[in-house]
Amino acid sequence: MGSLYRLGLAFIFIGLIFGCSTPKVIETTKLSDRDLSCESLKDEFKQAEQAKKDAEDVKGITGTNTAAAIFFPIGIIATYSNANEAIAAADTRMTRLADLMDKKNCK
């Protein structure tokens, strides 16, 4: 029974580690940004908005976050830190794209 118990704990621990969501931190600047058409700039802006939303969704009270906070508090701290980084990167990207759309007189 002892080895089965340990195996179960190992699976729970691994699940908590991999269960912590880490949103993708997007690139704030791409080399091709200046060459994009207005339509492509708008698409990139929408992608940045979605990346920000995905990062914001990771934060907050969810079942995964609650379990992680109880059993693996370092993991939840890392998740929140990564989410904040992803949100900041998305904000920077959206600002850059908005500036480029203004310069190109995109509507």
Side-chain angles (χ1 to χ4, degrees):
M1 182 77 171
S3 63
L4 186 58
Y5 177 74
R6 287 182 186 162
L7 182 63
L9 284 177
F11 278 116
I12 290 171
F13 183 72
I14 290 169
L16 287 173
I17 290 172
F18 291 106
C20 294
S21 298
T22 52
K24 181 181 178 189
V25 178
I26 62 173
E27 294 179 60
T28 57
T29 303
K30 295 181 183 176
L31 293 175
S32 62
D33 283 348
R34 292 179 188 222
D35 299 329
L36 293 175
S37 66
C38 287
E39 196 61 36
S40 295
L41 286 168
K42 290 176 188 176
D43 288 341
E44 288 284 328
F45 192 90
K46 287 178 188 174
Q47 290 175 14
E49 283 181 318
Q50 184 61 47
K52 181 177 179 177
K53 182 187 176 308
D54 292 345
E56 289 171 339
D57 288 347
V58 169
K59 296 172 73 173
I61 300 173
T62 65
T64 301
N65 286 349
T66 302
I70 294 168
F71 297 108
F72 193 62
I74 294 171
I76 194 71
I77 292 168
T79 297
Y80 271 63
S81 176
N82 180 261
N84 288 335
E85 184 181 347
I87 291 166
D91 284 338
T92 301
R93 178 91 178 126
M94 288 187 292
T95 299
R96 173 159 172 70
L97 293 169
D99 289 345
L100 287 170
M101 286 188 278
D102 285 345
K103 288 178 184 174
K104 291 187 175 203
N105 294 320
C106 299
K107 296 185 179 198

